[in-house]
Amino acid sequence: MIDPFGRHISYLRVSVTDRCDFRCMYCMPEHMTFLPKPDVLTLEELERLCMAFVRMGVERLRITGGEPLVRRDVMKLFQGLGRHIGKSNLKEVTLTTNGSQLTRFARDLASAGVRRVNISLDTRDTGIFRTITRWGDLNKVLDGIDAADAAGLAVKINTVALKGVNEDEIADLMLWAHGRGFDHTLIETMPMGEIDGDRVDQYLPLSLVRARLARDFTLEDSPYRTGGPARYVRVKETGGRLGFITPLTHNFCESCNRVRLTCTGTLYMCLGQEDAADLRKPLRASSDDTLLERAIETAIARKPKGHDFIIDRRHPAPALERSMSVTGG
Ligand code: SAM
């Protein structure tokens, strides 16, 4: 699949549920309205959709949400998809999770063929963790991280940089992650969805974080890529990799290779634009995939050049109404 700007689309992110057991302050309001259950695709439908993308050239699938591991029987989807790794275009199935359910599922994920997981962790301070996630339990997440490591999964820690919340802890988090042998990636907060607080107050440009880290650490540019938008440095003092995802300070759309599917079968060709294609209708219209594949082709043909996120006092409203938990981060 090649889009109008010549980019090969080889990466699909799939949000299997918009529900979550956390209420992270930058992601959703505490009293969130979720999608109506009947609109949500079954696990069988999600697998069929994913495999249509794989036949059309997708090599990497990332399962996300909401919190993917709170969806009932989600392991069946991992098992179903895992069977195709290496036997089709599909090279890998990965997961983005808040870690809260990993003590239960880490081994099953490894047995299903998952090799890498991204675990979101913005702080290792119990009080700050509670402030950020509202409902989360830090110890459960840390146990989940240990379980993933013990199951042989390659762990990457993702941290959203938040002004006045975790900004003083970023170097410590990096030292901890690298000490455990994990890659660590920092993310800028993006203006998606209504939240209870003020995004301008939360926004911390990673250019600033990087400059601060560079005072104490030697950051060497690295050509390493995982197929995602992060740009990496090697931190000489720790020997670990540190990634920066900078949708605001440095737009990375020129190399975008991905599209995003929601749990209701809506395909977003860009995380930061409203245009979307309904794939549920062609999926349910026939058991043959001809209509579905045509709908996917038409959607890819209108993938936009990029997003235009801005966060400042003149643009206090979210760039998009839908939150990251719907499109899948
Ligand atoms: N529940 C899973 C998790 O916590 O990783 C998967 C979904 S969550 C939406 C994926 C990632 O998006 C998390 O790392 C989260 O911190 C991040 N995220 C959510 N809203 C965001 C926003 N507005 N800006 C930047 N990152 C955001």
Side-chain angles (χ1 to χ4, degrees):
M1 289 186 284
I2 300 182
D3 82 355
F5 303 95
R7 297 169 296 193
H8 277 266
I9 308 305
S10 58
Y11 187 178
L12 177 69
R13 294 198 172 204
V14 187
S15 172
V16 296
T17 176
D18 64 327
R19 284 158 205 265
C20 190
D21 51 345
F22 291 4
R23 288 291 178 279
C24 296
M25 58 195 273
Y26 49 79
C27 185
M28 50 170 113
E30 182 152 18
H31 302 288
M32 177 76 177
T33 312
F34 292 108
L35 296 165
K37 280 209 171 140
D39 291 355
V40 174
L41 299 182
T42 65
L43 293 172
E44 292 73 20
E45 287 173 323
L46 280 169
E47 185 175 334
R48 190 178 142 204
L49 254 174
C50 287
M51 289 317 297
F53 276 96
V54 168
R55 275 198 307 282
M56 294 173 76
V58 159
E59 297 175 350
R60 298 195 154 81
L61 292 170
R62 176 171 292 281
I63 305 300
T64 178
E67 172 47 44
L69 298 184
V70 301
R71 175 143 184 189
R72 188 186 299 172
D73 293 334
V74 72
M75 228 34 70
K76 286 187 186 158
L77 180 65
F78 284 101
Q79 286 152 1
L81 294 172
R83 281 194 274 275
H84 299 280
I85 299 173
K87 300 194 181 96
S88 62
N89 286 327
L90 188 59
K91 291 187 178 150
E92 68 169 355
V93 177
T94 56
L95 163 73
T96 300
T97 174
N98 64 25
S100 68
Q101 311 297 315
L102 277 175
T103 47
R104 231 173 112 201
F105 291 125
R107 275 155 160 255
D108 293 348
L109 286 164
S111 320
V114 174
R115 296 288 168 262
R116 300 193 291 138
V117 290
N118 287 358
I119 306 177
S120 305
L121 183 71
D122 300 331
T123 177
R124 287 171 60 238
D125 177 287
T126 314
I128 300 175
F129 188 84
R130 187 44 75 150
T131 305
I132 295 175
T133 64
R134 293 192 185 105
W135 296 2
D137 175 348
L138 176 63
N139 286 327
K140 252 173 117 178
V141 172
L142 294 176
D143 289 348
I145 292 173
D146 290 344
D149 195 23
L153 299 169
V155 172
K156 178 160 81 78
I157 302 294
N158 281 343
T159 301
V160 177
L162 297 163
K163 187 161 79 187
V165 182
N166 64 357
E167 64 177 297
D168 295 334
E169 202 194 326
I170 289 176
D172 281 349
L173 265 173
M174 177 191 81
L175 287 170
W176 168 80
H178 288 176
R180 297 279 314 255
F182 305 152
D183 286 353
H184 185 206
T185 293
L186 304 174
I187 307 173
E188 281 174 339
T189 177
M190 296 173 231
M192 300 184 63
E194 289 292 346
I195 53 169
D196 294 328
D198 180 343
R199 277 196 200 280
V200 184
D201 291 345
Q202 297 176 359
Y203 174 54
L204 179 62
L206 287 186
S207 45
L208 189 66
V209 176
R210 184 175 172 148
R212 284 182 190 160
L213 286 170
R215 282 189 223 138
D216 298 322
F217 300 96
T218 317
L219 310 180
E220 299 168 333
D221 281 330
S222 157
Y224 178 75
R225 294 277 182 278
T226 59
R231 294 291 170 265
Y232 285 88
V233 295
R234 183 178 166 274
V235 181
K236 199 171 166 199
E237 290 75 8
T238 63
R241 268 192 295 252
L242 179 66
F244 295 88
I245 299 185
T246 55
L248 287 107
T249 53
H250 178 256
N251 192 309
F252 43 63
C253 304
E254 67 282 357
S255 59
C256 183
N257 58 354
R258 73 204 73 106
V259 288
R260 296 162 192 268
L261 185 70
T262 73
C263 59
T264 54
T266 302
L267 186 73
Y268 286 96
M269 286 69 84
C270 171
L271 177 65
Q273 301 284 355
E274 293 290 4
D275 186 30
D278 173 22
L279 300 184
R280 188 176 53 184
K281 209 164 163 200
L283 178 84
R284 288 185 173 167
S286 136
S287 56
D288 172 276
D289 285 343
T290 315
L291 285 176
L292 178 62
E293 289 179 7
R294 202 171 305 146
I296 294 173
E297 271 166 17
T298 314
I300 299 297
R302 41 175 228 269
K303 182 169 162 66
K305 195 164 180 199
H307 63 254
D308 14 61
F309 290 139
I310 306 175
I311 300 183
D312 63 25
R313 292 271 165 222
R314 282 171 299 137
H315 303 85
L320 293 174
E321 277 182 25
R322 64 177 197 281
S323 74
M324 189 78 106
S325 56
V326 172
T327 328

